[in-house]
Amino acid sequence: MYNFFLGVFIFISVLLIFLIMIQNGKDNDTSSNFNLGKSKREIMTHYHDNILTKIIGIFAFLFFLVSLIICNISYNNIF
């Protein structure tokens, strides 16, 4: 059981690193603020960033939850 959660923990960790790395930086946002008209591409990029932020939040919660489960399993095996 411990090994299963450890594998899930490592998978979520690598996935979080990947998702954070593919996010757009804040520099892209500030340069588009000077343009009055937004193109369709910019709107879709903004929509993509919102979805990506929500997905990262879900995986961050799962990361925290799985780490608590691993801590609980390892604590119960000590005593």
Side-chain angles (χ1 to χ4, degrees):
M1 191 68 153
Y2 178 78
N3 290 333
F4 171 74
F5 281 113
L6 191 61
V8 170
F9 185 73
I10 292 171
F11 176 74
I12 291 173
S13 302
V14 170
L15 192 62
L16 267 174
I17 291 170
F18 175 73
L19 288 173
I20 290 171
M21 292 295 286
I22 65 170
Q23 264 186 327
N24 283 337
K26 292 292 180 184
D27 292 338
N28 293 340
D29 225 12
T30 56
S31 65
S32 67
N33 286 338
F34 294 113
N35 298 334
L36 294 177
K38 289 191 174 184
S39 67
K40 187 175 181 179
R41 182 173 174 251
E42 289 175 352
I43 292 171
M44 291 304 292
T45 303
H46 181 68
Y47 179 72
H48 182 281
D49 288 344
N50 285 339
I51 292 175
L52 194 58
T53 304
K54 289 178 185 179
I55 292 171
I56 289 172
I58 290 169
F59 277 110
F61 174 74
L62 289 174
F63 178 84
F64 180 69
L65 185 68
V66 171
S67 67
L68 287 177
I69 291 170
I70 289 174
C71 287
N72 192 16
I73 289 172
S74 64
Y75 179 76
N76 288 336
N77 286 341
I78 291 174
F79 297 109

